[in-house]
Amino acid sequence: MPDRQAGYRTPARMFHWGIAIAVLLMIPAGLTMTREGLPRGLQDALFLFHKNLGVLLVPFILARLIYRTIHPPPPLPETMPQWQIRVARISHALLYALLIVMPLSGFTRVRAGGFPVELLDRLGFGPWIAKSETLAAAAQALHFLAAYLLIALLALHVAAALHHALIRRDEVWTRMWPPRQG
Ligand code: HEM
Ligand code: HEM
C-alpha cells in the first residue's frame, strides 16, 4: 500500500524530476531548431541533441510506467475537492500519453523522412520505418500538435504544483519534491 505521509517513493521522484528536466530542455530545443534563419551549426547541434535525447528518454519513460504499475502513487489528500482530483488524474494520464506520443511521432517523422538518428545508427540499428513522404508529413503534424498540447498541459501542471506549494501548502508538493520528507 502507498504511504500517504511519505509520499512518492524515491525512484518515482527521480523518474519525475529526471524526465521533467529532459523534457524542459527538449521543448525549447525543438522550438528553436525549427526557426528560420538560425546559423547552420547551431541548428545541426540542436537537432542532434533533440533527436538523440528524445530517443534516449524512451526506455526511462517505459521504466517509469512499469514502476508506477508496480507501485501506484499515494492517494491525493482528502481535503482536495473531487473535481480537482479528477482534473489531476486526467491531466497526469494525458501527460503520460504525450510522453509516448512525442518520441514516437518525432522518431517516425525523422525515419520516414529518411534522416539519421545518430545514436541508433551508431549502435547498428536499422531504420525500422520505410521512407514515406506521406507518413513523414502526418507524423510531423502530430508531433507539432502534441507539442503544443504538452506545453499547455505543463503550464497547467506547474501552476497547480505551485498553487499547492505556495498557497495551499498541503502535502501534494512535498510528496513529490525531493528529498523525501518524514
Ligand atoms: C516537464 C515535464 C513534466 C512532466 C512530463 C510531469 C509529469 C507528471 C506526472 C505524469 C505526474 C503524476 C505522477 C503520478 O502520479 O504518476 C506528476 C506529478 C507531479 N508533478 Fe510533474 N511533470 C513535469 C514537470 C513538473 C514541474 C516543472 C513541476 C513543478 C514546478 C512538477 C510538479 C509535480 C508535482 C508536485 C507532482 C505530484 C502531484 C501529486 O502529488 O499527485 N512537475 N508530474
Ligand atoms: C519527449 C520527447 C519530445 C519532445 C517533448 C519534443 C518536443 C518538440 C517540440 C516542442 C518541437 C517544436 C514543435 C514542432 O515543430 O513540432 C519539436 C520538433 C521536432 N522534433 Fe521533437 N520532441 C520530442 C521527441 C523527439 C524525437 C525522439 C525526435 C526524433 C528522433 C524528434 C524530432 C523532432 C523533429 C525532426 C522536429 C522538427 C519538426 C519539423 O520538421 O518541423 N522529437 N519537438
Side-chain angles (χ1 to χ4, degrees):
M1 266 301 282
D3 180 346
R4 184 190 289 276
Q5 284 309 313
Y8 283 92
R9 289 160 188 263
T10 304
R13 296 181 193 219
M14 287 168 66
F15 274 131
H16 176 271
W17 292 107
I19 293 171
I21 290 169
V23 168
L24 291 176
L25 292 172
M26 292 288 291
I27 292 174
L31 294 173
T32 311
M33 73 198 193
T34 44
R35 286 172 67 154
E36 301 255 336
L38 209 64
R40 188 58 201 266
L42 176 61
Q43 188 173 43
D44 287 349
L46 287 174
F47 263 101
L48 192 74
F49 171 79
H50 186 90
K51 288 187 295 179
N52 293 287
L53 179 60
V55 164
L56 207 60
L57 272 178
V58 173
F60 290 97
I61 292 166
L62 294 179
R64 178 178 181 184
L65 285 170
I66 293 169
Y67 183 86
R68 187 187 199 273
T69 323
I70 300 169
H71 300 291
L76 282 161
E78 276 147 16
T79 47
M80 268 175 75
Q82 272 307 311
W83 71 267
Q84 284 184 13
I85 294 181
R86 205 166 308 130
V87 171
R89 275 206 199 112
I90 295 170
S91 60
H92 291 166
L94 274 174
L95 282 170
Y96 281 124
L98 288 168
L99 285 181
I100 302 283
V101 169
M102 287 310 295
L104 264 188
S105 56
F107 179 81
T108 307
R109 190 264 173 273
V110 167
R111 283 317 206 192
F115 298 104
V117 179
E118 294 73 7
L119 184 70
L120 298 182
D121 296 342
R122 253 323 148 76
L123 293 173
F125 291 108
W128 292 339
I129 296 173
K131 235 181 130 177
S132 154
E133 284 310 317
T134 322
L135 181 60
Q140 183 180 22
L142 177 61
H143 199 68
F144 182 84
L145 274 178
Y148 282 94
L149 181 57
L150 177 64
I151 292 168
L153 264 177
L154 281 179
L156 180 76
H157 184 70
V158 171
L162 293 179
H163 177 75
H164 282 286
L166 304 174
I167 295 166
R168 295 175 74 124
R169 292 168 185 265
D170 57 16
E171 71 211 54
V172 172
W173 172 256
T174 44
R175 72 202 209 125
M176 179 54 97
W177 179 250
R180 200 170 158 148
Q181 322 257 318

